[in-house]
Amino acid sequence: MGQGCFSALWRRSTHPADPQPDKIKDAKIIFVVGGPGSGKGTQCEKVVAKYGYTHLSSGDLLRAEVASGSERGKQLQAIMQKGELVPLDTVLDMIKDAMIAKADVSKGFLIDGYPREVKQGEEFEKKIGAPALLLYVDAKSETMVKRLMKRGETSGRADDNEETIKKRLDLYYKATEPVITFYEGRGIVRKINSELAVDDVFAEVSKAIDGLK
């Protein structure tokens, strides 16, 4: 490759990105972790309404990208159809793009269901930034099973049956424990008891977020 061609490529790949990370450099980032049926989705909606945060779920971003029919969406669909995991870098790029797109209007970001393992958290911090808080929305496993079974009565989701739910919860706990321990070491974990009524849970969530100011 000629020198001129290489430098043109370098300019294209470095300069457009230069001002963008600054937009999210000082953003308030909250990781939201909670098992299936913990009610974290409901709490995220309430945080958006009260605090003006942007709610980003990696699963939603992946589905939206596939639905958009973009080149990246087609590649993602092919990966998922094979039953393979989407590369971590790709997920982080999508989260970062979504954050930059909302940077001017957002008071902060709720990163939902992320990180699923410590390595993901470390990579997120390298590429995007450090979380100010990790909200751990937790309910007893039997409560989550009950809630998901109830949802299964109307959702038609094939994975809302007791055996599958218990497997999902086992996997969730195995993956989440090291993440919680890692961030507890930094003193940023706030464990929220989501056995309570929705508004009482949100009072606890609000207390944790108000403590950031």
Side-chain angles (χ1 to χ4, degrees):
M1 186 187 285
Q3 189 66 39
C5 191
F6 179 84
S7 60
L9 266 179
W10 181 84
R11 276 200 304 276
R12 199 161 63 232
S13 63
T14 55
H15 286 269
D18 284 348
Q20 291 181 331
D22 290 346
K23 281 179 125 181
I24 52 173
K25 186 166 59 82
D26 300 317
K28 270 189 191 152
I29 296 168
I30 298 177
F31 287 159
V32 186
V33 175
S38 65
K40 72 180 165 62
T42 302
Q43 294 304 318
C44 285
E45 282 168 22
K46 286 180 160 294
V47 171
V48 170
K50 180 176 176 179
Y51 293 96
Y53 274 50
T54 297
H55 177 205
L56 297 174
S57 147
S58 52
D60 289 349
L61 288 171
L62 287 169
R63 284 187 286 275
E65 190 75 40
V66 169
S68 76
S70 69
E71 201 47 53
R72 181 160 71 180
K74 286 175 190 154
Q75 288 164 0
L76 292 172
Q77 191 170 24
I79 290 167
M80 292 190 283
Q81 276 173 345
K82 286 185 207 155
E84 293 170 4
L85 287 175
V86 174
L88 180 53
D89 272 355
T90 306
V91 175
L92 285 177
D93 284 342
M94 291 173 73
I95 292 174
K96 190 175 181 181
D97 290 348
M99 287 174 73
I100 290 166
K102 292 280 189 180
D104 296 333
V105 294
S106 189
K107 298 282 193 321
F109 296 92
L110 295 172
I111 311 296
D112 180 358
Y114 199 94
R116 289 181 187 227
E117 52 186 64
V118 172
K119 180 176 178 268
Q120 289 183 342
E122 290 173 333
E123 288 298 317
F124 184 100
E125 291 186 38
K126 273 188 220 157
K127 261 194 148 171
I128 298 172
L133 184 67
L134 185 147
L135 282 177
Y136 179 25
V137 183
D138 192 40
K140 291 180 193 147
S141 54
E142 52 266 36
T143 303
M144 291 194 268
V145 170
K146 262 190 221 146
R147 286 176 183 170
L148 291 171
M149 293 287 289
K150 190 159 179 47
R151 187 180 79 181
E153 289 166 16
T154 52
S155 73
R157 278 179 57 158
D159 56 354
D160 279 348
N161 63 72
E162 193 163 354
E163 192 186 334
T164 311
I165 288 165
K166 284 183 172 162
K167 273 188 198 152
R168 280 165 67 202
L169 283 172
D170 280 348
L171 284 171
Y172 159 72
Y173 280 118
K174 275 184 195 134
T176 305
E177 275 166 22
V179 172
I180 301 300
T181 306
F182 178 74
Y183 286 104
E184 272 176 344
R186 291 197 195 170
I188 65 165
V189 174
R190 298 292 173 272
K191 191 170 180 179
I192 309 293
N193 175 9
S194 74
E195 296 279 330
L196 308 170
V198 170
D199 288 341
D200 294 337
V201 177
F202 187 58
E204 292 296 307
V205 170
S206 296
K207 205 187 293 177
I209 294 175
D210 292 342
L212 290 177
K213 289 173 183 169

